């Protein structure tokens, strides 16, 4: 993350204490105290439990909260932000993460509020999906900083996102506004897991990129047994001993070497993303699209076709200059985003009615 200090989100300006941030994903549950300048202290994490029931997963969250409560700054915390893999329903405070099978309509917000109280912290708490949290993070400290209207996207195993409109985080009634992965960009496209057809996610996710390339005859030449793909859409090094895996990572490596099928797979993904970015900009006049997630690590292999195709979709005068840039915060985005979402969506303590 950037090393220079930044100002706090507007709603946090009147309260100088830290925000309790909790980031829940399929592989890890992390926590930190995030300060108004974006620095983090008391960071802690647990692996997300496998093969346990809902309470078994919650036990790991409780351990993270317990760790944070040992900080000497715990008593000065002002609020709590929870960022979670989705689907989420913030109107009910529940989550049903696709990568945490034990949680279906799990009341995570209520349970975390109880854990906070058990450690002496009666804090206002907000829940945000991971795409919305990433959006809050990038607007506060990252690539969307200084932009009043922004679309931020996570392109990984799935495709998610969030919106900044008039400098405000816009999560929508259930926390799912900006879920760009399920905008349809192919009228006669293949069915999507959501039940729709031709969704961005069914074309541009890491899973879809790899599947389409294999269907066209691409093979991960030099693939080693148990290659380096982790199945989450992350693009990076290949498998052991230089072997290439069969996920989007392998396709990206092949594209970098000029493989025509791999290049076509990323061109197809870039076109879908460009169409969705242009549609969003036309609807709400965003002027920047920030893209993070594992697939974005492919760099120009992904960004070059997005920008090329965008010229054919973003043609009106008020959208033709939209910028497409990579996210800046990487692995920090979850915790920083949870804190930023809390600061942007919750009133500052000084503006709340006195208990007396």
């Amino acid at each position: 993350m950037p090393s220079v200090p930044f100002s706090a989100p507007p709603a946090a300006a009147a309260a100088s204490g830290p925000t309790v941030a909790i980031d829940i994903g399929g592989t890890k549950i992390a926590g930190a105290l995030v300060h108004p300048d974006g620095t983090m202290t008391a960071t802690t994490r647990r692996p997300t439990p496998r093969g346990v029931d809902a309470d078994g997963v919650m036990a790991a969250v409780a351990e993270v909260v317990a760790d944070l409560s040992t900080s000497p700054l715990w008593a000065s915390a002002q609020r709590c932000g929870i960022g979670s893999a989705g689907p989420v329903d913030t109107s009910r405070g529940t989550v049903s993460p696709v990568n945490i099978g034990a949680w279906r309509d799990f009341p995570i917000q209520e349970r975390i509020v109880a854990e906070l109280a058990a450690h002496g912290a009666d804090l206002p708490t907000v829940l945000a999906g991971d795409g919305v949290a990433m959006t809050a993070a990038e607007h506060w400290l990252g690539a969307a900083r200084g932009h009043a209207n922004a679309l931020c996207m996570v392109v990984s195993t799935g495709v998610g996102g969030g919106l900044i409109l008039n400098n405000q985080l816009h999560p929508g009634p259930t926390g799912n506004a900006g879920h760009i992965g399920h905008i349809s960009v192919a009228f006669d496209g293949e069915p999507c897991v959501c039940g729709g057809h031709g969704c961005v996610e069914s074309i541009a996710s890491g899973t879809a990129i790899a599947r389409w390339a294999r269907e066209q005859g691409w093979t991960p030449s030099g693939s080693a047994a148990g290659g380096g793909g982790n199945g989450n859409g992350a693009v990076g090094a290949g498998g052991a001993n230089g072997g290439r895996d069969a996920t989007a990572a392998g396709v990206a490596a092949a594209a970098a070497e000029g493989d025509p099928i791999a290049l076509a797979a990323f061109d197809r993904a870039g076109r879908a993303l460009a169409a969705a970015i242009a549609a969003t900009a036309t609807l709400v006049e965003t002027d920047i699209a920030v893209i993070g997630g594992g697939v974005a690590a492919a760099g120009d292999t992904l960004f070059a076709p997005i920008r090329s195709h965008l010229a054919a979709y973003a043609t009106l005068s008020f959208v033709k200059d939209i910028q497409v840039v990579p996210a800046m915060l990487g692995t920090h985005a979850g915790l920083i985003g949870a804190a930023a979402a809390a600061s942007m969506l919750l009133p500052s303590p000084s503006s709340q009615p006195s208990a007396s």
Side-chain angles (χ1 to χ4, degrees):
M1 61 178 285
S3 58
V4 295
F6 291 90
S7 60
S16 59
T19 297
V20 177
I22 298 172
D23 178 30
I24 300 170
T27 60
K28 74 177 190 309
I29 297 167
L33 299 182
V34 180
H35 300 270
D37 64 353
T39 58
M40 296 188 293
T41 57
T43 55
T44 184
R45 62 188 289 172
R46 294 288 188 281
T48 303
R50 299 289 183 187
V52 299
D53 63 9
D55 285 338
V57 179
M58 184 63 207
V61 179
E63 290 177 5
V64 166
V65 173
D67 286 352
L68 296 176
S69 72
T70 64
S71 168
L73 297 174
W74 176 254
S76 64
Q78 301 292 314
R79 65 192 73 79
C80 175
I82 307 161
S84 176
V88 304
D89 184 345
T90 59
S91 69
R92 299 168 56 221
T94 61
V95 296
S96 303
V98 295
N99 47 12
I100 304 178
W103 281 1
R104 290 296 172 263
D105 295 320
F106 187 75
I108 186 60
Q109 185 168 343
E110 176 185 325
R111 295 290 297 270
I112 287 180
V113 165
E115 289 296 328
L116 294 170
H119 293 281
D122 182 15
L123 299 176
T125 300
V126 72
L127 170 65
D130 51 7
V132 171
M134 175 265 195
T135 299
E138 291 292 333
H139 184 252
W140 180 22
L141 298 178
R145 185 171 184 260
H147 291 265
N149 301 285
L151 167 68
C152 297
M153 306 170 62
V154 179
V155 184
S156 188
T157 308
V159 178
L163 290 167
I164 296 290
L165 301 177
N166 297 321
N167 277 317
Q168 300 296 315
L169 186 63
H170 185 75
T174 66
N176 292 290
H179 201 341
I180 195 169
H182 295 289
I183 289 177
S184 179
V185 292
F187 182 74
D188 295 319
E190 63 185 75
C192 179
V193 292
C194 74
H197 288 78
C199 293
V200 174
E201 182 170 299
S202 70
I203 300 170
S205 69
T207 305
I209 290 169
R211 181 182 65 245
W212 187 86
R214 293 194 300 268
E215 288 172 351
Q216 306 311 305
W218 175 81
T219 57
S221 58
S223 177
N230 56 16
N232 67 2
V235 173
N241 302 317
R244 188 180 297 147
D245 62 64
T247 68
V251 182
E257 295 169 2
D259 183 284
I261 294 176
L263 286 167
F266 271 90
D267 184 76
R268 180 174 179 264
R271 184 179 182 186
L273 292 167
I277 290 167
T280 303
T282 302
L283 187 65
V284 293
E285 290 199 64
T286 49
D287 61 13
I288 190 170
V290 176
I291 304 178
V295 175
D300 280 348
T301 299
L302 178 68
F303 283 91
I306 292 174
R307 291 169 179 143
S308 175
H309 287 296
L310 195 59
Y313 291 106
T315 58
L316 295 171
S317 61
F318 61 94
V319 296
K320 65 183 181 64
D321 293 325
I322 188 169
Q323 302 175 54
V324 179
V325 300
M328 289 175 57
L329 299 179
T331 57
H332 296 288
L335 288 169
I336 291 175
S343 295
M344 296 177 81
L345 297 175
L346 292 170
S348 64
S350 63
S351 68
Q352 297 174 8
S354 170
S356 60

